[in-house]
Each structure stands twice: as structure tokens, then as C-alpha cells.
């Protein structure tokens, strides 16, 4: 868990550890999930004791200079070296890219917020059942600009890299499969003055539809299952 938000809004909603646990249990209710608040310096003693890991989103920037980010990036490199299954969402997507030699930057088009449409451009084994265009809730102003060597882009939205894979052990999305429609709607109101009126209006319009959460959750579970075979 990398989410650093500790304000009134965050306190009134489930934390990311709970959201991602619920996401997993949506499709694999018997799986055990442990949460480590790495933004508070909590790291697993031995990642090999787990079948895989997920890195959440965060309002923090991977390039923000926080003291917990270097050990997280090193853990990503260690997991990659050992081909240990790792999924990253938003901040996690960007952290994995940066840790493994890719690059990221502020999105030149500004904020992306609301329901995003992501075109599948490659199909590893675990995403075979995703639709050609996947709807996911998003909220970010930074993006991956170059992939690590050996990575394959699997999704794009408005020319942005919104998902990639490496081998059968890394899977990412720029967006937030853990967010419910109620949460992204509340977050849109909370960020109204930050994202600006044009982005806000587009977000409200986009949220007339809902995300492909269930089928995307299944892709995450399938990813971990095939990665441990």
C-alpha cells in the first residue's frame, strides 16, 4: 500500500489495502491477502513467502523523493530478477516502469480522471477474456513515457501507455481497478477544484457508465495463477 492520503476524505472511505483485498476476493474469495503499508516503512520480511504482490496507487509521485520509495524500487528489481509475480496499479505501474529502466513524466495533456477507455494492443495469456476496449476508473497526472527493456505494451488510451507486461511475471495498469463507482464519484467531487472545470465535466459525463471491474479482477487472479505454475 503506497497511498499517502491521510486527510478527512481518506478517513471517510476504505483504505487501499481493503479495496485491493475486496477486489481479489471478488473473484477468489478463499485467497489470503496481507497488507504492508510501505509508505510507513512496512515491508515484508521475505517476499518469497507470498505467491505474488500488488502495488497500489498513491497521490505521491514515484519521483517525489520520499524515503520509502528507494527500498520499494529495489524490491521491484529483486522480484523481477526472481520472476516473482507482481501487479502494479497507477503509482505501482509507474514505479515498476521506473525501477526497471523505463521513464515517466507529467502528462502533457494534464489530468486524466473518470472512466477511461483502454484499447488492448497485446494479449498475454491472462487477459484473453478482457474486451477489446476495457473501461477502468482513472485519476492521474503522471504517466509512463518509455517502457523498460523487454516490456510489452498491452493497453493504450489516447496514445498513453496504460498497461504493460514483462514475461509472465509482471502485469500493470495505469488505472484503478480497485475503485468502486461510488468511490470514484466521491473522489471526483473531492478533486473538483484540483482537476479543473473541463476535466471535472468530462469525468462526470464518463461516469454515466461503469468500469469493467469484475472481468479485470479475473485477469489479475489469472495472472497470479499462471505466474506460479
Amino acid at each position: 500500500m503506497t497511498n499517502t492520503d491521510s486527510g478527512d476524505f481518506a478517513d471517510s472511505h476504505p483504505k487501499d489495502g481493503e479495496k485491493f483485498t475486496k477486489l481479489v476476493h471478488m473473484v477468489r474469495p478463499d485467497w489470503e491477502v496481507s497488507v504492508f503499508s510501505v509508505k510507513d516503512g512496512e515491508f515484508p520480511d521475505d517476499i518469497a513467502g507470498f505467491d505474488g504482490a500488488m502495488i497500489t496507487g498513491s497521490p505521491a509521485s514515484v519521483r517525489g523523493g520520499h524515503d520509502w520509495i528507494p527500498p520499494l524500487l529495489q524490491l521491484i528489481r529483486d522480484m523481477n530478477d526472481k520472476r516473482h509475480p507482481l501487479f502494479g496499479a497507477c503509482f505501482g505501474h509507474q514505479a515498476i516502469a521506473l525501477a526497471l529502466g523505463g521513464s515517466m513524466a507529467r502528462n502533457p495533456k494534464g489530468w486524466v480522471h473518470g472512466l477511461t477507455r483502454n484499447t488492448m494492443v497485446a494479449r498475454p495469456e491472462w487477459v484473453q477474456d478482457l474486451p477489446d476496449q476495457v473501461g477502468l476508473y482513472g485519476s492521474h497526472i503522471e504517466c509512463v513515457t518509455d517502457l523498460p527493456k523487454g516490456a510489452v505494451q498491452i493497453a493504450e488510451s489516447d496514445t498513453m501507455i496504460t498497461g504493460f507486461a514483462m514475461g509472465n511475471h509482471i502485469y500493470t495498469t495505469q488505472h484503478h481497478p480497485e475503485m468502486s463507482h461510488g468511490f470514484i464519484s466521491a473522489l471526483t467531487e473531492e478533486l473538483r477544484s484540483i482537476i479543473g472545470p473541463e476535466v471535472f465535466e468530462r469525468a462526470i459525463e464518463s461516469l454515466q457508465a461503469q468500469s469493467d471491474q469484475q472481468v479485470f479482477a479475473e485477469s489479475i487472479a489469472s495472472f497470479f495463477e499462471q505466474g506460479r505454475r
Side-chain angles (χ1 to χ4, degrees):
M1 187 172 71
T2 61
N3 194 332
T4 56
D5 189 356
S6 59
D8 291 342
F9 179 81
D11 289 343
S12 65
H13 294 275
K15 298 294 189 288
D16 276 9
E18 183 179 342
K19 289 196 196 81
F20 275 88
T21 298
K22 184 176 181 179
L23 181 71
V24 170
H25 286 166
M26 184 181 295
V27 291
R28 298 295 186 274
D30 59 332
W31 282 14
E32 295 182 12
V33 180
S34 299
V35 178
F36 295 89
S37 185
V38 296
K39 57 96 175 180
D40 295 314
E42 299 175 8
F43 285 81
D45 292 332
D46 183 5
I47 197 67
F50 297 87
D51 292 316
M54 299 187 288
I55 302 175
T56 75
S58 178
S61 171
V62 181
R63 303 178 299 166
H66 304 286
D67 58 7
W68 51 271
I69 290 180
L72 176 62
L73 299 184
Q74 185 58 53
L75 178 60
I76 292 168
R77 289 188 282 268
D78 291 344
M79 293 188 71
N80 180 58
D81 289 344
K82 296 173 182 176
R83 299 183 65 83
H84 201 86
L86 176 63
F87 172 79
C90 199
F91 176 99
H93 161 82
Q94 296 167 8
I96 294 169
L98 199 63
L100 300 182
S103 59
M104 55 175 290
R106 186 180 177 91
N107 180 18
K109 296 183 179 181
W111 274 95
V112 173
H113 188 89
L115 181 67
T116 71
R117 300 294 183 180
N118 303 269
T119 301
M120 300 300 297
V121 296
R123 287 193 177 269
E125 174 186 344
W126 59 88
V127 299
Q128 292 300 313
D129 292 335
L130 290 180
D132 291 338
Q133 192 175 75
V134 183
L136 290 173
Y137 303 129
S139 184
H140 63 96
I141 199 168
E142 291 186 308
C143 59
V144 170
T145 52
D146 294 289
L147 291 175
K149 183 178 180 180
V152 175
Q153 181 176 346
I154 60 175
E156 68 177 6
S157 179
D158 193 24
T159 73
M160 184 183 299
I161 299 168
T162 57
F164 68 88
M166 293 182 69
N168 68 344
H169 64 287
I170 285 177
Y171 178 30
T172 78
T173 176
Q174 173 58 67
H175 303 305
H176 289 276
E178 82 286 1
M179 287 185 180
S180 67
H181 191 266
F183 179 82
I184 187 65
S185 298
L187 183 64
T188 301
E189 291 292 342
E190 175 70 11
L191 297 181
R192 184 171 187 165
S193 63
I194 294 174
I195 61 179
E198 291 185 9
V199 175
F200 176 80
E201 292 300 331
R202 287 199 302 269
I204 292 297
E205 177 63 26
S206 75
L207 293 176
Q208 298 302 306
Q210 299 197 19
S211 75
D212 294 309
Q213 185 181 50
Q214 180 85 24
V215 68
F216 199 87
E218 181 63 38
S219 79
I220 296 172
S222 297
F223 162 71
F224 285 118
E225 288 170 338
Q226 63 79 39
R228 296 301 288 176
R229 287 203 295 264

